[in-house]
Amino acid sequence: MRQYSLLVFTAAVLFGTGVQAADVSLTGSADDTTRWYDYFSNAYAELGETNFIDITTPTETYGLSGGVYPNGASFDIGTLSYDETGLTGVGSETASVTGYSADFAASIADNDNILGGSYTTAIASPTGTIDFQDGEIVSINFNAQVIFTYDYSAFNAALSALQYVGTFTVSGDEFSLVADEPTPGAYTIDTFNFRHQWDATGTVDQVVPEPGGALLFAGVAGILFRRRRGVRMESPDEAWA
């Protein structure tokens, strides 16, 4: 189990604002074992490796794969919305997740398939909870369906919207992303295989209230996950830059 604890900087809960929703943005660090697969070229890129790895014969490598992860291990998880109705800032409380938005192409496989072009991210059915203790976030648990869409119309007009479906999950301070073609063989067309897979795991390092969510917590300086061997502090201005 990863040795992380949650460090939350808050001053007090601001009451009587009439605001019923709040947003927090999440960033994390992907594990070295995170992978993205491109079956058209029969290769995958693993974060902790330098070269593309052959899917059929993993001992064979070729080409530099660093471009698949433009930010290295840094992972933009997205923005989570929750319902703050009834939160008092006293004792143990739970808020329901009401929304989620993300653009995973910013962190993994943006414009790195052999056919060129990036993909879009759509989110459906986010559900889960955020747990508070005396006004401080102590746990986030939610999942949502993700739909990635590639436009390969430059290759074939019939391939303008190939969708890959999966799930994104946050449990405590850990996240996972898995996505694939909708059914096995769905995107094998003639002799070409347009299948892609996303298989990412990692830890949530930072949770920062969006400016619009500052009404929930007065004097928020930021919410950070802390490794027990050290803490990376940020000022409010740095956290919101």
Side-chain angles (χ1 to χ4, degrees):
M1 180 178 294
R2 298 181 181 87
Q3 298 301 308
Y4 283 73
S5 59
L6 186 64
L7 176 62
V8 185
F9 295 98
T10 62
V13 174
L14 184 63
F15 299 105
T17 63
V19 176
Q20 301 301 307
D23 297 333
V24 290
S25 61
L26 289 72
T27 57
S29 298
D31 295 334
D32 283 347
T33 54
T34 289
R35 293 179 177 182
W36 177 76
Y37 294 78
D38 183 356
Y39 285 81
F40 191 93
S41 56
N42 197 46
Y44 67 87
E46 185 168 299
L47 179 59
E49 299 293 333
T50 303
N51 301 99
F52 283 98
I53 300 171
D54 189 87
I55 294 173
T56 306
T57 310
T59 55
E60 295 183 8
T61 62
Y62 49 90
L64 297 177
S65 62
V68 173
Y69 306 100
N71 303 314
S74 180
F75 207 89
D76 183 358
I77 295 173
T79 299
L80 193 63
S81 302
Y82 62 92
D83 182 1
E84 65 174 353
T85 303
L87 294 181
T88 66
V90 178
S92 178
E93 300 179 294
T94 299
S96 297
V97 170
T98 57
Y100 176 58
S101 62
D103 177 12
F104 289 109
S107 301
I108 180 170
D110 177 21
N111 197 24
D112 281 290
N113 64 88
I114 197 170
L115 300 176
S118 186
Y119 61 90
T120 61
T121 301
I123 303 295
S125 305
T127 183
T129 57
I130 300 178
D131 295 326
F132 297 82
Q133 182 62 44
D134 295 326
E136 299 180 351
I137 295 176
V138 294
S139 182
I140 298 175
N141 296 279
F142 85 98
N143 64 79
Q145 183 186 37
V146 295
I147 305 99
F148 300 136
T149 303
Y150 272 113
D151 181 354
Y152 288 148
S153 57
F155 182 84
N156 185 312
L159 307 178
S160 61
L162 295 188
Q163 294 189 332
Y164 305 80
V165 295
T167 303
F168 182 74
T169 302
V170 172
S171 179
D173 67 345
E174 300 181 358
F175 72 81
S176 68
L177 167 67
V178 291
D180 202 340
E181 60 185 355
T183 57
Y187 296 153
T188 300
I189 302 170
D190 294 328
T191 59
F192 302 105
N193 191 342
F194 295 92
R195 180 186 180 189
H196 296 300
Q197 279 182 286
W198 291 251
D199 185 1
T201 59
T203 54
V204 181
D205 298 326
Q206 185 173 342
V207 184
V208 178
E210 294 287 318
L215 292 175
L216 175 62
F217 298 114
V220 171
I223 303 170
L224 303 175
F225 284 95
R226 178 181 65 186
R227 293 183 186 269
R228 290 183 178 174
R229 62 173 178 269
V231 180
R232 181 172 65 87
M233 296 294 187
E234 294 189 42
S235 70
D237 291 337
E238 291 173 331
W240 287 8

